[in-house]
Amino acid sequence: MEGFFTQGPISVLSLIFLLGIVVVVHELGHYWAGRMFGAAAESFSVGFGRSIFERKDKRNTRWRINWIPLGGFVKFVGEHQMPGDAGRIETAPVGRPFHELTVGQRSIVLLAGPIANFILAMVIFAALAFALGKPIERVTIGAVNEGGPAAEAGFEVGDIILAIDGKTITDNGQVRRTIQLSTGDDLVVTVERDGAPIDLSVTPVRMAVDNGLGQTNQVGAINVGLGVQRVDHESFGLLGSLRQGIVQTGDVIVLTGKVLGRMVTGREPLNQLSGPVGIGDLAGKAVQATLSIEEVPLSQRLLLVSLNLINICAFVSVGIGLFNLLPLPVLDGGHLMFNAYEAVVGDTVPARIQETALTIGLVLLFTVAVIVTWGDIVETGILGGA
């Protein structure tokens, strides 16, 4: 508990930095796409609550900075985002009401937010690849715990992990992420033993695992200790960095989509998601751990802090982009479902049904938020005693 309060300001500032960038980029995607089709924007807000600063542009769009600095939103004229919006039309801003756009145009505007998140992640991963390159690592089995899935599958100390389900392994993070997100799934792990490749089948089981920053996560594990040796370092030019950014973003999208899919089907608990508390705590602890390395000059530590936060920002951006595509009425994916109905039937969803659906969606979203926040609190160890 004491550690949480001493780290609290760092976590809050890190959270504001991460969500500020990711959510504003998401909303700018919606805004720019809407402007492309001539939609009238009532407001573009950074943060929530009452305004600290506000001004109108020549199109009568209100640009606001609000008191609660967590994310933001864009509101188009005639757009039904919340239950009370159904049937209400604002008239002051210049441009076309949102409902007057074609179904295809509205769908593009809705998709533009998540796409902006994916582009942000690609840019970050590409920039990091250009600046830092990529270490090529040899991942080995350093220990095998008796009675665990790895022992039953026949893993031995000294095995070199070559691939998982046919995908070549080049770093430790690939191994950990794949295993942690595969609880109950059969994985084919190709290892090198005595100079020859061997395929081993193993099924991760869910257990509490410390992520190294004081958070305990319920994730898939096979009860082994991994050893890592850096064997090479790959540098990238401009085109190579762009390709690396696209590939890495695609990998993160696939892994995140897999987690969301497993949650929808009940194979993973909802508290596997990280909300603001978990994101802020993770970023804050990463910052604190980096700044505490006294043998490294302060300038280098500050550079490492910046790189860590930017890297986390890319992962958060992908997560927010995919989460907004879920078919929940208050999210972009839910509004896309309304558009699909209109495209098929030839008429909009009745206002009363929209209002009911948005209300139900808001309740479901609030329920998910409570579950996720409670899971974050447990994982951060805030309630773990003195």
Side-chain angles (χ1 to χ4, degrees):
M1 179 74 77
E2 180 181 351
F4 170 77
F5 286 111
T6 56
Q7 181 193 289
I10 297 177
S11 297
V12 171
L13 290 174
S14 300
L15 178 63
I16 292 172
F17 172 80
L18 292 173
L19 289 188
I21 292 176
V22 171
V23 178
V24 168
V25 166
H26 178 97
E27 298 303 332
L28 280 173
H30 290 313
Y31 176 77
W32 286 331
R35 284 292 304 273
M36 180 175 66
F37 297 120
E42 189 278 328
S43 62
F44 188 104
S45 299
V46 177
F48 298 93
R50 292 189 176 183
S51 298
I52 302 173
F53 170 81
E54 180 176 326
R55 67 176 293 272
K56 285 188 177 182
D57 62 17
K58 61 183 180 181
R59 298 174 61 88
N60 281 336
T61 298
R62 296 190 300 155
W63 293 83
R64 307 169 57 197
I65 298 177
N66 300 330
W67 277 106
I68 304 175
L70 297 177
F73 61 94
V74 61
K75 177 69 171 66
F76 292 106
V77 171
E79 182 184 16
H80 300 160
Q81 294 181 340
M82 304 296 288
D85 293 334
R88 187 180 68 185
I89 303 293
E90 303 91 341
T91 58
V94 176
R96 301 163 60 192
F98 191 73
H99 70 277
E100 290 186 4
L101 302 184
T102 67
V103 174
Q105 290 172 337
R106 278 182 273 133
S107 297
I108 290 173
V109 173
L110 290 168
L111 288 170
I115 289 173
N117 285 133
F118 302 150
I119 292 174
L120 173 62
M122 286 189 288
V123 170
I124 291 175
F125 287 138
L128 292 175
F130 184 78
L132 304 176
K134 178 183 178 182
I136 306 299
E137 297 174 338
R138 175 181 294 156
V139 184
T140 63
I141 302 297
V144 180
N145 297 332
E146 292 185 10
E152 295 177 0
F155 284 83
E156 296 181 5
V157 173
D159 287 347
I160 301 171
I161 300 178
L162 301 178
I164 299 180
D165 282 346
K167 185 165 185 177
T168 301
I169 295 300
T170 58
D171 64 75
N172 178 45
Q174 285 178 284
V175 178
R176 293 185 181 278
R177 286 192 296 270
T178 302
I179 292 174
Q180 289 177 355
L181 302 179
S182 300
T183 300
D185 292 342
D186 294 330
L187 299 177
V188 177
V189 181
T190 304
V191 302
E192 181 183 318
R193 183 184 301 167
D194 298 327
I198 300 174
D199 287 339
L200 301 172
S201 180
V202 64
T203 304
V205 295
R206 183 176 292 113
M207 62 181 62
V209 176
D210 192 306
N211 67 2
L213 293 172
Q215 291 183 338
T216 301
N217 307 109
Q218 293 286 337
V219 295
I222 60 173
N223 277 1
V224 295
L226 298 178
V228 181
Q229 297 176 331
R230 180 172 294 191
V231 296
D232 199 357
H233 185 274
E234 187 175 1
S235 297
F236 302 98
L238 181 59
L239 292 179
S241 299
L242 291 174
R243 180 181 180 278
Q244 186 67 19
I246 294 171
V247 169
Q248 192 167 356
T249 301
D251 289 342
V252 176
I253 288 174
V254 169
L255 285 174
T256 307
K258 177 181 178 180
V259 174
L260 291 175
R262 289 169 64 89
M263 289 178 183
V264 170
T265 58
R267 301 184 67 189
E268 292 284 351
L270 285 176
N271 60 14
Q272 287 290 84
L273 289 173
S274 289
V277 173
I279 294 170
D281 184 70
L282 174 65
K285 285 177 177 175
V287 170
Q288 192 174 52
T290 303
L291 292 177
S292 65
I293 308 175
E294 296 181 356
E295 60 270 22
V296 176
L298 179 60
S299 59
Q300 293 186 24
R301 281 181 277 166
L302 292 175
L303 176 60
L304 288 173
V305 164
S306 301
L307 294 175
N308 283 336
L309 286 177
I310 291 171
N311 189 52
I312 294 173
C313 185
F315 283 91
V316 173
S317 190
V318 170
I320 286 181
L322 281 178
F323 183 77
N324 271 277
L325 289 175
L326 292 177
L328 199 62
V330 291
L331 300 177
D332 296 331
H335 290 287
L336 286 169
M337 295 293 291
F338 289 156
N339 287 357
Y341 172 91
E342 183 177 346
V344 172
V345 175
D347 196 6
T348 60
V349 177
R352 182 174 296 179
I353 295 177
Q354 285 191 51
E355 185 169 0
T356 301
L358 289 168
T359 301
I360 294 172
L362 195 61
V363 171
L364 289 174
L365 189 61
F366 178 78
T367 303
V368 170
V370 170
I371 294 172
V372 169
T373 300
W374 177 251
D376 286 344
I377 291 172
V378 173
E379 289 178 359
T380 59
I382 294 174
L383 304 178

